[in-house]
Every structure is written in structure tokens, then in C-alpha cells.
Amino acid sequence: METTESKLNFHELELDERILKDIARLGWLEPTLVQEKAIPFLLEGKDVLIRARTGSGKTAAFAVPIIQNLLGRKGEDAVRETSVIVMAPSQDLCHQITKAFQELTFSCSTLVRVVDLSSKEDQSTYRHMLAEHPDIVVSTPAKLRYVLSEGVLNVRESLRAVIIDEADLMFSFGFEEDLREVLKNFPPVHQSVLCSATLDEDLITLKKMVLHNPVILKLQEPNVAIGSQLTHYQVEAGEEVDKAAILFILLKLKLIQGKCIIFVKSVERCYRLKLFLEQFNIRACILNSELPIKIRCHAVSQFNQGLYNTIITSDEMVAVNPAVVNKKHTKKTSTAKNLLQSTKAESGVSRGIDFQCVSCVVNFDFPPDVNSYIHRAGRTARGNNTGSVLSFVAADEVNQKVEVESFIQGLVGDETFALKRFQFNFADVEAFRYRALDAWRAITKLSIREARVKELKTEILNSEKLTSFFEENPRDLQALRHDRSLHTVHIQEHLADVPEYLVPPALKAMIPSKKANRNKRFSELKSNAQKRKAKAENPLLMDGLDYHKKRTV
């Protein structure tokens, strides 16, 4: 498809006023390229294959026309029925898609109901959720196969549209057999939509299984943002501790501004890096597939709300090396075993998660292949925003870096393209390396294990399912709370402060000096003393002022 210079507005797409109202409430000014091209075809009921890079707005591209078509049918027939199925390869994506539909149906929530089946496991819960025939069902293929095979859901007569998001991951996550079984329960005539950031053999196979005479939407944009929208940097690191030292310096000296996502290659390294940064009073949250879905969603929500500026996440084996999953899924395995394996695969967090307003992605461990780099980089420079990717390159990661550079060279048509060297003289901050070395060595395998146990205990204590149990069995709760002390890393408070003599002259303006901090504290103390003196002289007047201030705030 060729793009044009003219930009359409949402109101020019002939959408329902309630949808336009919710779009305005979300603050969307104009459709992205993929939305502008895909929505008209989907409104016409055509099968569409949407291939667009991460962060281009694919979710809204299919959600808006699906809701529009639903509202159009609601005017003709008020009977409630499940007419739309949306499938995604992970629980996180299902929750995210459900949230997007809920936001776009806020003004018509009484007419259009959305249900997410991905994180429920009890059959009675499924029956309760599907009893009122929700209009839109969002699920992973494994869970959808289960409810269809058990007769909890029947869409042979009512289904009008099927959407498969992140379609290129479906087979990689081991859902091929689930998808084939699910498709047997669908009517022969329905609208189908496939969405993907990349085009591979699995997607072509799925296209043949699902789509009928489709419109193939290949947008004239690269797989990853380039040019002024996204800048690619590299930092050469020798030993592993050098990576940690450089990251500590960049964060502590505020050389990385705004929200930042740090990618590592394993769950263990998530906790090691978090414990390392905590010693310098650098706050960060953790995101990996080992955590329960509620914690993962809560962590993303807090990050998007700005409660954390830094999040550390791991690329899981099922996402980085799909061959591992494919080997586990053989034709001889039972349905129950497949469901269990699929559930493990459903916990991947490296693809599709909507991190908002991310200014920088840091590859603490360089991605193992080009696709991983693309999807990591896609966490920033989303929509029309700008961002940067900073990759640490160790000696054994040079080959992966060369592959990425070759790929980007093909995108930009420049054979001389290379990841820019991050311009910073690390010799000026050599003293920081000794602090980082001590902090990195202080983290042991035992402290990492105890940190992971602590996360699980927190989830148990906060679990809604165990609330009533703990109310009836307070001793069990007391025993859990008074378990043996965790072996945490010893934190030295002085490490959180940056001595003025360690800060390079060019960066002193960015780091408040101790003298400035003392002056600030002195001013605050002086102001408080003046308030106390004034209150002692005229308490009624000061009480009135304090009350007025509280009411004003």
C-alpha cells in the first residue's frame, strides 16, 4: 500500500459519536498511519493482514472498527451474543487489549461488554463470565480452546470477527495445535484480522489458515524507528561489572533522562541489577514472566503512571529462543500437558506491552538476534514520540551487534551506518567504578534467591483469594509474616550520595552540591522557625492560615 501526504482525522472516518468521544477523552489528535489505512478496510468487513512496526497503533487500528461494526449491529438487533474473538499469545497482551477495548467503549459500556479469559483457571469462573454472552472475548488460544471444548462458549452461529494479535508469535509460543482446534469451532464465514510486527514463515502459514482473499497492508515504514525519531547508541564494556558501573554512572549523574526500560537476559539478572541499584538509592521495579500476572500488570501500570522511572525486564526463553518451546510441544503430548505448557508460554513479557512515554531503552545484555533488538527498541519512539536505544556491547556480543547494524543499514540504505558511540569520557569517573565493584560483589546467589522469595511472599499476602482464609486462620498469616529474616544485601547509606569531587566539571550543574542542599535545608528550617514564632505570637491567625492552605490544596 502506498501512503499519501494528506492526514485524515478520526471524525472523517465516519465513526460513531460515542467512539469519537472516547478517542477525544484518550487525547488522540489524529490516527496513526496504520490506523488511517486499516480502519476503512475493516469497516467494510474485509479480511486484513496488518504488518506494522511495534508502537504504530495496531491495537486501536482493529479495535475502533470492530466496536463501530458492533454498534451498527446493535441498532438492528438487541440480542446479546458473542460476536468477536480476539486472541493474543500472552496474558499481559490480553489484559492490555481488554483495557484498550474498555477505554474505547467507555461511553457505550452498557451496550458493548468485553471479557478477558486469559488469567482465569476455574471452570465455574468461566461459566459465570460467559453467562451473559459478552460481545467481545479476549483470550489466549489455549484458554479459548478449553472453554470451547467444554461447551462453556459456543460461537458457531454468532461469530462475526476474529482478530489475532502478535500473530507471528503464535506458533513460536506453541499454540499451533490450539489454534487449529479453535478454528474448527468457528463458522465458515467471518471477518479475520492478523496483526504482526514481522513477516516470517509462521505468519504465512497462519495467513493461509485464517484469512480469505485478504487485504495485505504493508506500510511504507521500517520495522524499527530510524533517523531523528530513534537514535541508536552503543557503549563498549569489558567485564560484566563494567556494565553495572556504567549504568550506575549514567543513572546517578542523570545522563539518562525520563522513563527508562533496562533489558537483561534472565530473571536472575533482573534481581541482581535491582539489588545493585538499590545500594545507590536508585529505585526500579521488576518485570518478568516468573511474577504473577497481577504483579506484572501492576508494575506496568505504576511505571506508566510515573511512580517509577526505571523498570528492569527480562527476555524470556520462550520469546528469545522459540525453538525451545517448539521442542516441548510434540503431537504425542496430551491436551492437559499442552495446556500446561501453553500457560508457561503465555507469561512472556518481551513483546507488545504498552509502555508509555519511554525515552530510553537500555540493552544491559545485548539482544541475541535482530528480532529481539527490533522489539526491544519498539518500546520507545512509539507513535510520533522520539527516543533512544543504548546498548552495552561486551566482547562476546560483538557478532550480534554487527548483525543489527547490517539490518539497519538495509533499512536506511546506508552501508556506513553504525550504532553511535555514546560520547562520554569514562576516565573522568573512574572513581565510581570502585564503588560499583564493591556493590556488585556484595550481591550473592543467596541474596538473589531471598529477593525472589520476598516477591512471592508479598504476592501471597496481597492475594485476594487468600484474604478470607487468613481472616479465619490468623495464626497462619502470623507465621507467614514472622518467617525467618531475609538475607538482604547490606546497604551503605553513604553510597547514595555523590561526593562533589567525584563529579566531572561538565556535569556539576546537573548534580546538586552538598552546599546547595545545606542551604536549601537551612532555608526550610528558617521558614519553619518563622512560622512557629508567628503562631506563638498570634495562634488564631496562623490556625486560620493553615486551614485555608489545606482547603486550597
Side-chain angles (χ1 to χ4, degrees), residues 117-159:
L117 303 180
S118 63
S119 59
K120 305 298 180 181
E121 299 179 357
D122 187 78
Q123 184 175 353
S124 61
T125 306
Y126 286 132
R127 291 189 181 277
H128 175 72
M129 295 173 66
L130 298 172
E132 297 184 5
H133 305 288
D135 301 279
I136 303 171
V137 170
V138 183
S139 176
T140 58
K143 297 294 176 65
L144 185 60
R145 176 185 178 181
Y146 172 77
V147 296
L148 289 170
S149 63
E150 294 294 319
V152 181
L153 177 66
N154 188 345
V155 293
R156 290 187 183 276
E157 302 295 332
S158 60
L159 189 65

Side-chain angles (χ1 to χ4, degrees), residues 88-95 117-121 126 139-144 173-175 178 289 293 296 316 318 325 329 338-349 353:
S90 71
Q91 295 178 12
D92 307 79
L93 281 172
C94 288
H95 283 277
L117 303 180
S118 63
S119 59
K120 305 298 180 181
E121 299 179 357
Y126 286 132
S139 176
T140 58
K143 297 294 176 65
L144 185 60
F173 272 52
F175 289 129
D178 294 316
S289 65
I293 182 65
R296 300 204 302 269
E316 304 308 316
V318 292
V325 180
H329 288 265
N338 278 341
L339 180 59
L340 176 62
Q341 292 170 346
S342 297
T343 303
K344 292 179 181 178
E346 288 171 12
S347 60
V349 296
I353 305 301

Side-chain angles (χ1 to χ4, degrees), residues 51 221-226 232 370 374 404-414:
R51 179 177 173 268
E221 60 178 4
N223 291 340
V224 64
I226 55 177
H232 305 261
V370 173
I374 291 172
V404 169
E405 287 179 331
S406 299
F407 174 78
I408 299 179
Q409 286 172 4
L411 292 180
V412 300
D414 182 3

Side-chain angles (χ1 to χ4, degrees), residues 343-548:
T343 303
K344 292 179 181 178
E346 288 171 12
S347 60
V349 296
S350 65
R351 285 282 298 271
I353 305 301
D354 186 16
F355 296 103
Q356 298 174 7
C357 303
V358 176
S359 60
C360 182
V361 166
V362 176
N363 289 318
F364 188 82
D365 295 316
F366 201 87
D369 52 46
V370 173
N371 279 338
S372 296
Y373 185 91
I374 291 172
H375 295 296
R376 287 186 185 185
R379 302 305 101 203
T380 186
R382 298 173 73 88
N384 297 320
N385 297 323
T386 59
S388 60
V389 179
L390 175 62
S391 300
F392 294 107
V393 184
D396 58 346
E397 297 170 330
V398 175
N399 291 336
Q400 293 98 297
K401 185 203 76 168
V402 172
E403 289 180 6
V404 169
E405 287 179 331
S406 299
F407 174 78
I408 299 179
Q409 286 172 4
L411 292 180
V412 300
D414 182 3
E415 295 182 359
T416 63
F417 175 87
L419 303 184
K420 295 182 179 179
R421 294 187 180 276
F422 192 76
Q423 297 299 321
F424 184 72
N425 187 6
F426 292 103
D428 292 342
V429 289
E430 181 63 24
F432 282 98
R433 189 178 186 278
Y434 297 106
R435 290 188 165 208
L437 184 60
D438 291 340
W440 191 258
R441 286 175 175 173
I443 304 168
T444 63
K445 290 184 177 180
L446 180 60
S447 63
I448 293 173
R449 184 173 66 85
E450 294 291 352
R452 295 167 77 166
V453 170
K454 186 177 181 181
E455 289 280 344
L456 293 175
K457 285 185 177 180
T458 302
E459 171 61 14
I460 292 174
L461 290 172
N462 294 332
S463 173
E464 296 176 1
K465 293 181 179 179
L466 293 179
T467 300
S468 58
F469 173 81
F470 284 138
E471 289 176 354
E472 297 174 1
N473 303 274
R475 289 186 179 180
D476 291 342
L477 177 61
Q478 200 71 9
L480 185 63
R481 286 179 179 273
H482 289 81
D483 201 359
R484 65 187 180 88
S485 300
L486 297 177
H487 293 276
T488 56
V489 176
H490 176 63
I491 296 179
Q492 304 176 60
E493 294 185 1
H494 73 276
L495 292 179
D497 296 324
V498 180
E500 194 171 348
Y501 65 85
L502 289 182
V503 182
L507 299 177
K508 286 188 176 181
M510 303 180 68
I511 306 296
S513 65
K514 289 187 176 181
K515 182 177 180 181
N517 289 332
R518 283 198 302 268
N519 291 338
K520 182 180 179 181
R521 287 196 295 270
F522 177 76
S523 299
E524 292 175 351
L525 291 173
K526 184 177 179 181
S527 176
N528 292 334
Q530 290 174 344
K531 288 181 180 179
R532 286 194 296 271
K533 181 179 179 181
K535 186 172 183 178
E537 295 174 353
N538 195 343
L540 293 178
L541 175 62
M542 289 304 298
D543 286 341
L545 289 173
D546 290 342
Y547 174 76
H548 175 70

